[in-house]
Amino acid sequence: MIQRNKEWRNSMRLKLDINNMMEKIIGKNGFTDTELVNMKMQATEAFQFVEDNRGKGMMEWTNLPNNQDAVVKDILSTAKEVRKKFKYFVILGIGGSALGPYALFKALCHLHHNELPASKRKAPKFYVEDNIDPERMNALLDIIEPEKTCFNIITKSGTTSETMAQFLIIYDVLSKLLGDKASENIIATTDSSKGALLKLAQKYQYKTFYIDSGVGGRFSLLSPVGLFPAAVLGLDIKGFLQGAEYLDNTYRKPHLYKNPALLAATLQYMAEKKGKNINVLMPYADGLKYFSDWYAQLWAESLGKNKKLDGSSCSPVGQTPVKALGVTDQHSQVQLYVDGPNDKVITFLTVQDFRSFCLIPRCNLNIAEINFLEGQSLNELIQAEQHATEYALFKVGRQNMTITLPQVNEFTLGELIYFFELQTAYMGALLEIDTYNQPGVEEGKVATFALMGKFGYEDKRHELANIKKDIRYVVE
Amino acid sequence: MIQRNKEWRNSMRLKLDINNMMEKIIGKNGFTDTELVNMKMQATEAFQFVEDNRGKGMMEWTNLPNNQDAVVKDILSTAKEVRKKFKYFVILGIGGSALGPYALFKALCHLHHNELPASKRKAPKFYVEDNIDPERMNALLDIIEPEKTCFNIITKSGTTSETMAQFLIIYDVLSKLLGDKASENIIATTDSSKGALLKLAQKYQYKTFYIDSGVGGRFSLLSPVGLFPAAVLGLDIKGFLQGAEYLDNTYRKPHLYKNPALLAATLQYMAEKKGKNINVLMPYADGLKYFSDWYAQLWAESLGKNKKLDGSSCSPVGQTPVKALGVTDQHSQVQLYVDGPNDKVITFLTVQDFRSFCLIPRCNLNIAEINFLEGQSLNELIQAEQHATEYALFKVGRQNMTITLPQVNEFTLGELIYFFELQTAYMGALLEIDTYNQPGVEEGKVATFALMGKFGYEDKRHELANIKKDIRYVVE
């Protein structure tokens, strides 16, 4: 385990640079200092609202860095067994049960983990099945050996249709192969008090990890949802929790310039009010690409609302998160970001020190256009391109900010996770909406039940069957 | 090869359903028939503009379905050798040189292609390296054997910094391993008349495929850029071209209801005019997930502009493309789409017949919440969820349309590629901008050259070094 003394922790602190959000730097499209100062009271209130609700209701996620000593112990010993016993590890889950664990996997394991020989891999092959495409499920079964696979079924509610459909398929496969011993290949992660998965786990004695009732799916990454798969991969799970705690302790202040999550939330709030309905997260590191997926759910599902906290209607709010990857998407999206409508805020996510170095060798090819690259490194090039893109946006007065991680490791990712969770909580408080519900998905769920013939949904089925379409509007 | 007689082709025709764009169906947020009729003249003009420019200037991509007989022959014989000789196939490229080939790979090969045993794979392991992250390049070198790898270097301009940096690294590795024979492991795909890669290809006698000068990177998927890698994977490349040709022949008419690409472009244009600045593409099939990446470049880079075709300034235009995946992102984005701001058009991409079937077995678990799933199939469930999501959006009057592919195969993907290319061309014509340039990326390129110390960019380097930031705006 890494030494994490005080100096080391301070050297791992994330940094937020908001220069390119401000009028003083980028000109008239930026915010003035006065505008920001005028937000002081609202920001303080948002901070206080989050403080007052910490650890309560659906804000139990704030407890996760501190209340899991026993859970961590259990996770580590279970993970040790899983690593010894199984060749493959498969998560069945969707949304908050899938995006986070996959983000950690891609950020901290070898980018071609599953293709490494076992001796170099040092952990089971790892798959996250977060869809119900029949081709994908069959493709998975083509490459794993189910009897040598540990399946981690993750669903907070314990009733998610997609996850439980996957479960039924795997239950059947394992039962046929292993009979009563099938239970040894299944580990459940679910709510401690309710749901179909909990009932099944009790009936078949599955090893089970619990998600606290007050921890919603999209805020559950630092619970066993993320920690157990990470431990199976051999990651230092205490590092995540310590990073989160460090971020929280360092910045838990009602002052904009002392609390970067509050500052970032306030700037996004101001930007949204000014019509910037698009929120781009653009990491410059392949390992962080899938972090954007986790962030996109957190931001979209928490903040896309049309009701105030008291239930009264309001104008719909919620920026649309967009995932981009530097430098790749410079060749795909930056033309639009520079010359297109001024409707977005771009947040760069940069890494100071990459974990490896790649020289661009001196090949002496003597081709004028590319001579300048020889003898430099990909490390320099990727940094230069990030600065160049930031500069191009600055030149045309497009708002952007940059979060820098000194390195990518468990500790800094713990900071980053907690930073984004806090930012989302503060943004929800500023918007005065309920950050933790998702009423808008109910109608679709009910319609799925109806279409699949679930008992009790006959009326909805009838309604759906009677929607009239106009065949003129179908072109084929 | 599949039989592709007339009946079969007609049965493979894609379908566009715009019911949920219209007021008659979704109420006041939809377009009236009158509004659409009023667009008739503009749409006809856009159609005519595209007709007039076919095959000219940067619209040579319209020739690709018909002018490649000799190229296809060369591709097929080269691919045959590559398949025999090499264990790995690596594309070095970025943007239009990477997104398309990767989309075809994911759509038509096994979803875990690289993890299949060689006997089942029947093609080299396949990698597309479209970033310059040092960790990624090193990770690739950990898992391939360079001497058994064919590297396809793809860059239209022949000078793309990222691709040429990757090239230098690989050139060095291969030269050390193979000496003069290194050339046999390298295949270039580039412009036929200019660029560093062309010079190198001539000097070292690399096998080379050419991209016509009038085919831009993001419109090059049906050129050797996409066809050669597809052929190496064993895909039926004539199928792509025939599908594209079929779509073109079937719908090349100046009438909205007889030309789905023109209809879709017109509706997006009307939507953008009404403030819908976000364009979501949401395939309900894992294999089509990366098709959205290709589409996102096509849409963003072609249409994100602030100048008219004649060079005069105009208000910035360009919807921001958003990639979503059904059903996965129902648990991530749909809350926002339903309850959030009415600022987007969602295009579903659905598949009528999946290539495989996956039963949800009857396990008789007797758990009330999930009983309804037993005995059904993932095929039914994914379709039901797509309908349910469409319904949920319909209920709240959010505009959406659906493109349905009868199956996913080379022919239907050829149709789809050409559909989106035409839609983009029509949209550009409606917006009266230059669909084929990308002036907005120039500033970033120049800044990168300056930061990397390229000769002749000293002034820019000086300018960059003198940008003053305010340290108050950096929080750490």
Side-chain angles (χ1 to χ4, degrees), chain B residues 317-371:
Chain B
V317 296
Q319 291 175 317
T320 296
V322 169
K323 306 167 267 189
L325 177 68
V327 307
T328 305
D329 284 320
Q330 291 175 204
H331 294 261
S332 158
Q333 303 302 308
V334 166
Q335 165 65 35
L336 172 70
Y337 298 173
V338 168
D339 282 350
N342 185 14
D343 54 10
K344 46 182 75 72
V345 175
I346 292 125
T347 302
F348 295 109
L349 192 52
T350 68
V351 177
Q352 208 164 300
D353 293 319
F354 283 85
R355 286 161 291 193
S356 72
F357 177 79
C358 190
L359 182 75
I360 307 171
R362 286 196 188 281
C363 301
N364 299 312
L365 295 180
N366 236 335
I367 302 278
E369 297 99 313
I370 61 172
N371 277 346

Side-chain angles (χ1 to χ4, degrees), chain A residues 1 71-84 89 91 100-101 104-105 108-109 113 121-124 126 150 152 154 187 209 221-241 410:
Chain A
M1 188 166 317
V71 178
V72 164
K73 216 172 149 189
D74 185 12
I75 286 174
L76 289 174
S77 71
T78 309
K80 198 173 167 190
E81 278 176 57
V82 168
R83 288 162 60 83
K84 211 185 303 174
F89 184 84
I91 290 175
L104 299 183
F105 166 58
L108 294 170
C109 293
H113 177 87
R121 200 173 352 102
K122 292 179 185 143
F126 188 85
C150 175
N152 185 195
I154 311 181
I187 293 177
F209 293 108
L221 181 48
L222 294 175
S223 81
V225 169
L227 296 184
F228 175 59
V232 169
L233 288 165
L235 305 179
D236 169 18
I237 62 172
K238 289 180 188 168
F240 297 119
L241 299 173
E410 287 87 341

Side-chain angles (χ1 to χ4, degrees), chain B residues 347-467:
Chain B
T347 302
F348 295 109
L349 192 52
T350 68
V351 177
Q352 208 164 300
D353 293 319
F354 283 85
R355 286 161 291 193
S356 72
F357 177 79
C358 190
L359 182 75
I360 307 171
R362 286 196 188 281
C363 301
N364 299 312
L365 295 180
N366 236 335
I367 302 278
E369 297 99 313
I370 61 172
N371 277 346
F372 75 103
L373 292 166
E374 299 197 9
Q376 311 222 39
S377 70
L378 292 191
N379 302 58
E380 292 164 290
L381 186 57
I382 194 170
Q383 305 278 23
E385 296 214 24
Q386 191 274 325
H387 286 137
T389 303
E390 198 183 317
Y391 166 78
L393 292 168
F394 151 83
K395 281 282 271 194
V396 292
R398 297 301 165 93
Q399 288 187 309
N400 64 89
M401 50 185 150
T402 301
I403 299 167
T404 302
L405 298 184
Q407 293 175 15
V408 175
N409 57 41
E410 286 87 343
F411 189 85
T412 57
L413 287 185
E415 289 184 83
L416 192 64
I417 291 163
Y418 214 74
F419 173 87
F420 282 134
E421 289 179 344
L422 279 174
Q423 183 193 8
T424 305
Y426 292 137
M427 182 73 166
L430 285 162
L431 291 167
E432 299 174 4
I433 50 96
D434 185 342
T435 308
Y436 303 100
N437 66 357
Q438 48 281 331
V441 299
E442 205 46 43
E443 191 71 71
K445 272 190 199 169
V446 167
T448 298
F449 291 152
L451 290 166
M452 294 297 283
K454 191 173 179 179
F455 182 74
Y457 293 86
E458 295 73 17
D459 287 353
K460 182 59 75 177
R461 191 176 170 84
H462 188 73
E463 180 194 335
L464 279 155
N466 281 293
I467 294 173

